[in-house]
Amino acid sequence: MTETKTRENRPSKTRSGVIGRPIDRIDGPLKVTGGATYAYENALDGTAYGYILGAAVAKGRIAEIDTAEAERAPAVLLVMTHRNAPAQPDFGPAVTPTVPEVFTRARPALNSERVRYYDEPVALVVAETFEAARAAAGLIKVRYDEEPGLYDLPGHMADAYAPKRTNAGFETDSVIGDFEGAFAAAPVKIDATYRTPFEHHNPMEPHATLAAWSGNELTIHTSAQTLANFRAGVASTLGIPPERVRIVSPFIGGGFGSKLIAHADTILAALAAQVLQRPVKIALTRQQMFANAGHRAEMIQQVRLGADTDGRLTGIAHDVWSATSSFEEYCEQTAVFARSLYAAPNRVTRHRLVPLDINRGEWMRSPGEAPGMLAFECAMDELAERLGLDPIELRIRNEPAQDPERGVPFSTRNLVACMKEGARRFGWERRNPTPGRAREGRKLIGCGMAAAIRPNYIGAATARVAIDRDGRVTARLDMTDIGTGTYTILTQIAADSLGLPISSIKVELGDSRFPRTAGSGGSWGAASAGSALYNACNALKERILEAAQSSEASPLRGANATEASFADGEVSVGQRSASLADLVRRIAPGGFEAEGSVAAGAATQSYKAYSQHSNGAHFAEVAVDCDTGEIRMRRMLAVMGAGRILNPKTARSQIIGGMTWGIGAALMEQTVLDRRYGHFVNHDLAEYHVPINGDVPEMEVVFLEEHDDKANPFGAKGIGELGVCGAGAAVANAIYNATGVRVRDFPITLDKLLPALPVIAI
Amino acid sequence: MQSFTYERAASAEQAGAAVAARPDAKFISGGTNLLDLMKLEIERPAHLVDISRLPLDRIEETAAGGLRVGAQVRNSDLAADPRVRSRYPMLTQALLAGASGQIRNKASTSGNLLQRTRCPYFYDRNMPCNKREPGSGCAALQGFNRMHAVLGASQACIAVHPSDMAVAMAGLDASVETISPGGETRTMPIGDLHRLPEATPHVETVLGHGEMIAAVTLPPPPPGRQVYRKVRDRASYAFALVSVAAIVEKSGDRIRSARIALGGVAAKPWRATEAEHMLAGAAASDGAFTDAAEAALAGAVGHGGNDFKIPLAKRTMRHTLAAAVESA
Ligand SMILES: Cc1cc2nc3c(=O)[nH]c(=O)nc-3n(C[C@H](O)[C@H](O)[C@H](O)COP(=O)(O)OP(=O)(O)OC[C@H]3O[C@@H](n4cnc5c(N)ncnc54)[C@H](O)[C@@H]3O)c2cc1C
Ligand code: SF4
């Protein structure tokens, strides 16, 4: 780690400052003109094409696999099965000893005759063309000894167990005070059980890899959010040192958490390229992505709230039962947000898992809050109604003075301000609190709101920055831009720090040869990589100044450096100044280079001393067709307190993307697991519905002025996932307000609403 | 996808003969349905006869005062035709409610009529499906059947026909003109084109191998107001849960005649003839609409996941009839 002495302890807010400005995406023109090369578009001479054949059963073993016909098919180079795949380590236990090992463990493919989940790879065909490989895969005959499997979460609740920890290493349970006693004594209470379905990330770009060996060095062009994880995972699967693996992923067509670890496309491409001594390219098909690239698991959530008649919560209990995989545990931290959201003296949160014969769940945008707040913030709405209290007022009455479970102060917390500002802008007072009363023609109109909370994470990161004799700056780090705007933000940070125009900065990402970061995930990208780059820029300035003071050729030789500043392309020391480019040219024709780092947030003092979260309030208005039950959005508003906003344009895009996810979760997203066969039935985009343009209404996003000096040097916090948190609950609460029908089984499709919708006279 | 050979048909007669010559040959028009099915090896034709460039892409006035729509007229062009928009507005509404702009630009009139079901088990070769593999069973019957049929289904298959266009055409009493490999033409009411599943769900139409759809003829527009109402899970780009095509002709406070076709409920566009008879001469009232909707769904049977379609179809039909009357 590079030691950095900072002269300015905060990035400039004004003058040449480009932080906080709505700069257009740096990579936008490349993307819209096709100049951004995605993994599968990379071309290398001699590339062969792979196609994966998946298992036709969800549990059992391969009794017989006949590849003869496929091997004889035109242009086929290799048919790989568990019988001839290069040796790989066993998969190992369902739970890794530590959290980071989840990301780095070996994930072998085609290494066993066991079938653990439906569509698990059982063969790989590699051919001269994609078409030849796919056609030959259709010629492989497999006979399975099928075994009965478990695919039914509600049917197997008796198998539920408590995991040792949740995702991200949180405690499985939290218990404070005596919830049961408080709940029994509470004059007003809610005991509601909600169901949320399996969901899939479905990034636009599929999981795809081009693998090429050069001697014993492996280069992998892929679509990855976290390069270091990919590198470690590939290395442990292949049994080679990580230094011999290079991961390249400069452009990513969405990930949403489904590209944090290497999947079968990567492993099999690497293995086949090794066997064939040729580059091999493999993409998962859209259908294959459903079983082979992670999902959000189905859950059952019981929320119990006890309150006194004034609406002060006396007890909060959030119990979660989630499906997990029988061979690899994943426990989404669904109830963890509830530990920090509202005050109550007696509280319980618990996570339980029910193992099914399915693939492992993976981190899906806003893991925890997305399903958890969908349930919990509906329960708060139910409680408000029972109390005869406005839902905002109920939340205000339960606003905690400090983190209610950790007992430490919040670094910043503007939840109440967000709700108040939102109410004012949305016209909340015009909402009729009695449900089912507002009608326009044959549409029932309703409004709902929900709170948002999301922890602020920082991952360890290092950045390297260099300036050349022409004043051009290059920043390099193995960070990724998954469509969030990372290139843009980092460019702004470097430009701001060095006092140079945007056009002088080149940010290079997505190559594991660059210094290591935590990549994109958990909304930590901008803060982590940004802080590292900020520190690197400070180190660079330090170096430049030192040389400027001492170099014979320097126009600033001997100047007093304590008042140095970098702005408008100039370096000023006291009364003297010089052009930065000119200075570098004179004193260091080879340029300067420096590194900077940040430590993982969890290890820092400020993280221990403060509860760090972003907050917000969501508002939604819906129209429900009284004849058909069709639900359509009319408008949405989000007011966010998320620290300092580095770029309002990219930030807004993140929030409206998250709100759109909220619409999806509330109204349509659901993957159906067939309880008989264990396969995801609706495994394509015609049948797995995500919101299309017509479903997305006018959306307004407001950021409150905030600066979190505990979080990082910029005062910024993560926002990538905040937009999802609570957004779906605001929609669900609006549906209730419109119809008077409370559907607790998500998504709220019209068939669930219809039986309770009265027939209205024509 | 298996490899296949490909030829571009020179004429309608030659096209039919080329398909008839090989049991494993198929016509291809826009390919928006067939190619997807071929990629998944649900359809495995070894030879494709491309009819998309045949001069069957015109919309012509008929002597009777209707329109003759060539089999190769694209869905977008048909929807946009000013004669269709003014005289058969329900057809334009149905077309524009289907698929996406890109698909409609490619999809042909005949391909739309002959598109296959979207039953997800039909789309997965590992699942039992009598339509894909006769005799293997029907995975939907006890499975995820939210999108499936409530009318005219059998124990062998409960799939629905997914077309919107065909529902409007059925309501408009369109007829389908075909040309056989020998060059003979025949014309049939659109209601006779598709077959109900019974014991042979893999036989979906009455067309012979190599018999090609040449055109769809719309009779002169019937009197009355036309409305197409599609109910779906999202605002666009979703197949119908239920759809209703209704034409209601009023005389004073009474209904003179009504034509009703339902989509999303059966393996073919479903004409609600019983309901039409009940409405003829009835007072244009909520009660009459409700009774007609009850009659239309009288024989409906749900299979669990799709039970809701029965009340949904009734409610939608009731309101669509009212909307057609109101604006009549
Ligand atoms: C994602 C998605 C969503 C969709 N949503 C909808 C929707 O909401 N509503 C809707 O109605 N449709 C929808 N569609 C279906 C779409 O309308 C059909 O794919 C299209 O109409 C098929 O037309 P085509 O010309 O491309 O047919 P092709 O794919 O070329 O052919 C389909 C079949 O018809 C046969 N065929 C074609 N022409 C003839 C002929 N002249 N004579 C004999 N046989 C012939 C072919 O052999 C083939 O079996 C959707 C499709 C997709 C992919
Ligand atoms: S409903 Fe028909 S198409 Fe679907 S699985 Fe059953 S037989 Fe096959």
Side-chain angles (χ1 to χ4, degrees), chain A residues 180-516:
Chain A
E180 297 297 341
F183 189 65
V188 185
K189 48 188 142 195
I190 290 290
D191 179 350
T193 300
Y194 302 84
R195 290 185 59 172
T196 55
F198 287 103
E199 290 178 344
H200 279 80
H201 313 70
N202 275 315
M204 211 185 303
E205 184 200 13
H207 299 68
T209 299
L210 166 62
W213 290 82
S214 161
N216 60 12
E217 307 267 316
L218 172 63
T219 301
I220 286 182
H221 299 267
T222 191
S223 186
Q225 295 178 231
T226 49
L227 270 45
N229 291 344
F230 262 62
R231 184 186 213 188
V234 169
S236 46
T237 310
L238 268 49
I240 57 175
E243 302 73 50
R244 300 218 318 251
V245 180
R246 178 180 172 206
I247 310 283
V248 186
S249 186
F251 298 105
I252 295 130
F256 310 120
S258 76
K259 294 172 179 172
L260 293 175
I261 52 173
H263 294 99
D265 57 305
T266 306
I267 302 302
L268 290 176
L271 292 174
Q274 189 175 27
V275 172
L276 289 171
Q277 291 295 306
R278 288 175 67 160
V280 172
K281 210 185 240 195
I282 303 177
L284 298 183
T285 65
R286 180 63 58 181
Q287 285 85 353
Q288 288 171 341
M289 284 165 66
F290 281 76
N292 289 291
H295 57 255
R296 188 181 330 269
E298 181 181 6
M299 291 174 209
I300 296 174
Q301 301 179 52
Q302 184 187 21
V303 182
R304 287 174 293 164
L305 303 172
D308 65 21
T309 48
D310 288 342
R312 256 166 275 276
L313 288 164
T314 53
I316 293 175
H318 192 172
D319 283 284
V320 182
W321 292 264
S322 168
T324 185
S325 160
S326 57
F327 64 87
E328 187 180 8
E329 183 178 283
Y330 178 71
C331 180
E332 190 162 334
Q333 66 268 40
T334 304
V336 167
F337 76 91
R339 298 172 187 169
S340 305
L341 188 51
Y342 300 119
N346 304 290
R347 33 206 316 142
V348 179
T349 63
R350 284 185 285 239
H351 300 84
R352 296 293 177 268
L353 295 175
V354 176
L356 302 181
D357 292 298
I358 54 174
N359 200 0
R360 176 182 188 271
E362 290 181 22
W363 315 262
M364 185 162 159
R365 198 171 182 183
S366 319
E369 292 82 6
M373 298 195 79
L374 195 54
F376 193 93
E377 284 294 288
C378 283
M380 285 295 282
D381 203 61
E382 298 199 40
L383 179 65
E385 196 197 22
R386 192 154 297 176
L387 286 158
L389 213 59
D390 182 86
I392 294 175
E393 180 55 30
L394 171 65
R395 288 168 172 88
I396 291 174
R397 288 192 191 174
N398 292 288
E399 173 68 6
Q402 57 176 13
D403 187 294
E405 302 210 1
R406 287 181 57 204
V408 296
F410 294 112
S411 57
T412 63
R413 172 144 164 148
N414 275 311
L415 176 56
V416 171
C418 288
M419 291 190 295
K420 287 186 170 163
E421 178 63 11
R424 188 183 69 73
R425 288 174 179 263
F426 196 74
W428 182 250
E429 78 287 350
R430 290 197 298 276
R431 163 186 180 266
N432 188 334
T434 310
R437 289 291 165 80
R439 241 181 86 182
E440 284 177 23
R442 299 194 69 77
K443 304 278 185 234
L444 309 170
I445 311 299
C447 294
M449 63 79 56
I453 184 169
R454 170 85 196 158
N456 181 52
Y457 296 113
I458 292 232
T462 301
R464 189 181 309 134
V465 64
I467 185 164
D468 71 10
R469 48 175 294 139
D470 298 318
R472 286 179 310 220
V473 172
T474 308
R476 293 199 170 101
L477 48 175
D478 85 348
M479 179 58 190
T480 52
D481 187 331
I482 58 173
T484 47
T486 314
Y487 278 110
T488 314
I489 297 280
L490 295 181
T491 304
Q492 286 174 263
I493 288 171
D496 186 270
S497 173
L498 298 169
L500 290 170
I502 291 278
S503 57
S504 299
I505 313 290
K506 182 154 196 259
V507 174
E508 294 184 4
L509 305 177
D511 190 328
S512 62
R513 288 181 172 173
F514 301 156
R516 180 174 171 160

Side-chain angles (χ1 to χ4, degrees), chain A residues 541-559:
Chain A
K541 290 193 283 192
E542 198 74 34
R543 236 165 245 183
I544 295 171
L545 282 174
E546 266 164 27
Q549 287 172 287
S550 55
S551 169
E552 300 268 326
S554 170
L556 301 178
R557 184 173 155 86

Side-chain angles (χ1 to χ4, degrees), chain A residues 56 118 134-135 442 625-628 630 632 672 674 676-677 679 690 694-695 749 751 757-760 762, chain B residues 1-2 39 120-121 124 126-128 139 143-144 146 229 231-232 234-235 241 286 308 312 315 318-319 322:
Chain A
Y118 184 87
R134 180 171 61 179
R442 299 194 69 77
D625 187 296
C626 75
D627 295 297
T628 64
E630 285 165 296
R632 301 288 180 255
V672 176
D674 194 298
R676 302 160 302 168
Y677 305 112
H679 74 300
V690 295
D695 295 302
T749 46
D751 46 312
L757 281 188
V759 174
I760 297 181
I762 282 170
Chain B
M1 187 189 254
Q2 298 299 296
K39 287 177 193 166
Y121 298 100
D124 191 332
N126 297 324
M127 293 295 135
F144 177 60
R146 186 168 178 273
R229 174 72 164 98
V231 181
R232 45 188 156 175
R234 61 181 170 189
L241 295 166
D286 195 351
F308 74 98
L312 177 64
R315 295 172 74 126
R318 165 179 171 263
H319 181 248

Side-chain angles (χ1 to χ4, degrees), chain B residues 34-173:
Chain B
L34 184 57
L35 289 177
D36 278 358
L37 293 168
M38 286 171 65
K39 287 177 193 166
L40 297 167
E41 296 195 12
I42 291 149
E43 300 246 28
R44 302 156 65 121
H47 186 63
L48 287 184
V49 177
D50 185 348
I51 53 174
S52 65
R53 289 171 177 80
L54 292 180
L56 299 172
D57 58 351
R58 284 207 300 280
I59 305 174
E60 297 158 328
E61 301 275 351
T62 64
L67 289 179
R68 183 174 180 278
V69 180
Q72 292 305 331
V73 173
R74 303 290 137 187
N75 288 180
S76 300
D77 295 334
L78 184 56
D81 187 279
R83 293 161 296 181
V84 175
R85 287 170 53 168
S86 63
R87 285 147 64 187
Y88 307 96
M90 170 166 112
L91 180 55
T92 292
Q93 290 165 20
L95 283 159
L96 295 181
S100 66
Q102 291 95 325
I103 293 172
R104 294 194 296 268
N105 287 343
K106 198 79 184 115
S108 65
T109 304
S110 56
N112 190 315
L113 285 176
L114 297 177
Q115 64 173 297
R116 306 198 68 192
T117 186
R118 309 301 292 202
C119 170
Y121 298 100
F122 172 71
Y123 266 80
D124 191 332
R125 279 180 61 208
N126 297 324
M127 293 295 135
C129 170
N130 288 323
K131 191 186 273 299
R132 184 170 23 79
E133 221 178 296
S136 62
C138 169
L141 207 51
Q142 311 288 333
F144 177 60
N145 53 33
R146 186 168 178 273
M147 297 299 289
H148 288 70
V150 291
L151 287 165
S154 71
Q155 286 300 300
C157 178
I158 56 172
V160 295
H161 191 266
S163 171
D164 291 295
M165 180 196 80
V167 178
M169 285 180 170
L172 291 165
D173 278 328

